[in-house]
Amino acid sequence: MSHGHVALGIDIGGTGMKAARVDTRTGELLSDRVRIDTPQPSTPAAMAEVARELVDTLRWYGNVGVAMPTIVRHGVIRSAANIDASWIDVDAAALFGEALGHRAIVLNDADAAGIAEMRFGAGVGRAGVVLVLTFGTGIGSALFVDGHLVPNTELGHIEIDGCDAEDRAAASARRRDHLSWAKWAKRVDHYLGRLVMLLSPDLIIVGGGASKQADKWVPRLTVDVEVVPAAMANNAGIVGAALASRQGGEG
Ligand code: BGC
């Protein structure tokens, strides 16, 4: 079923599941964003049920794009850092497809956000090596080379000083450890320094929940690379998922 330039994106996170209709020509949301808490435990069956609720609420009948906070290889979940471990090896494309009654295209959440930022946001027209990082419950990464995505990079999980980077520098770590913006920015700065050493990016786009308050921490970064806040705030995952649902089609 074709909807012209309208597509549906669902962005699944460790704490919330969000969906909206998206104009694939402009990246704008065409409906209110609908949000439901991620069920706990966040099992495949429980989350597929919530996805159906979201799609029903938006009265959508067609293909959907689904962004997951996990490695997604050809529709199959291969990691589970911030969701239930029972997701591992689940064919999410088949599960959501069945629950929603239409084809589901499933991809990593940071990859989805990155696709949206490159198409409509802070990465428009940017060639070279561009790294998009999302700071939320975890840290997600999307790596682009001349606009082409290298899917499923997991740069939130590099080890720094014996710790998982996301455990120290995700937005959730700032709240958990009651850190000031300055203290948390220092952790992020240290993390970005390692990434710059490893990848020599031309640009780093910082997104996720923490990008809403980018003015509180981005100006404090000292790392030797251009760092800009994501332009699409927290909707990038939804928009990127919606774009992905049009794979091979117009958009
Ligand atoms: C996961 C990534 C995900 C990121 C943001 C990390 O813990 O390993 O796959 O992109 O969180 O949700």
Side-chain angles (χ1 to χ4, degrees):
M1 181 169 182
S2 171
H3 293 270
H5 56 269
V6 187
L8 191 98
I10 303 180
D11 186 13
I12 295 182
T15 55
M17 295 177 56
K18 297 165 282 186
R21 288 173 183 250
V22 175
D23 185 329
T24 53
R25 297 169 308 184
T26 62
E28 275 160 26
L29 301 195
L30 292 172
S31 66
D32 281 343
R33 199 171 82 162
V34 188
R35 182 190 184 283
I36 299 179
D37 279 350
T38 303
Q40 302 300 338
S42 48
T43 57
M47 286 167 76
E49 182 56 38
V50 172
R52 201 174 55 182
E53 242 177 280
L54 291 169
V55 169
D56 283 353
T57 306
L58 289 163
R59 298 178 193 286
W60 180 258
Y61 309 95
N63 294 352
V64 294
V66 183
M68 290 287 292
T70 62
I71 297 172
V72 187
R73 293 195 64 188
H74 310 293
V76 178
I77 304 302
R78 296 293 192 195
S79 70
N82 294 305
I83 59 169
D84 197 79
S86 60
W87 271 100
I88 295 199
D89 290 338
V90 167
D91 185 337
L95 176 77
F96 287 118
E98 201 164 299
L100 305 176
H102 291 276
R103 185 161 172 246
I105 289 84
V106 187
L107 74 168
N108 170 263
D109 59 356
D111 285 350
I115 288 168
E117 285 295 331
M118 295 305 284
R119 182 82 161 266
F120 301 114
V124 170
R126 298 296 302 245
V129 177
V130 178
L131 179 60
V132 180
L133 297 171
T134 61
F135 293 84
T137 312
I139 298 178
S141 61
L143 183 64
F144 293 86
V145 184
D146 288 337
H148 295 286
L149 172 69
V150 181
N152 287 311
T153 55
E154 283 287 337
L155 297 168
H157 295 294
I158 63 168
E159 190 182 309
I160 298 188
D161 304 332
C163 298
D164 193 21
E166 91 170 13
D167 193 48
R168 303 261 311 148
S172 57
R174 186 182 67 82
R175 293 186 291 268
R176 182 196 63 211
D177 296 345
H178 308 290
L179 299 177
S180 63
W181 285 103
K183 285 222 167 100
W184 181 67
K186 219 168 166 181
R187 288 188 183 182
V188 174
D189 207 28
H190 186 49
Y191 168 56
L192 297 186
R194 289 301 303 267
L195 291 179
V196 168
M197 193 271 282
L198 292 168
L199 297 167
S200 297
D202 296 298
L203 171 69
I204 297 181
I205 299 173
V206 290
S211 65
K212 276 183 272 182
Q213 288 163 294
D215 55 316
K216 298 217 166 78
W217 57 283
V218 175
R220 297 179 199 267
L221 301 173
T222 66
V223 67
D224 188 19
V225 63
E226 184 185 356
V227 181
V228 297
M232 311 189 65
N234 227 357
N235 290 332
I238 295 177
V239 174
L243 289 176
S245 78
R246 290 304 179 77
Q247 262 172 5
E250 56 76 63

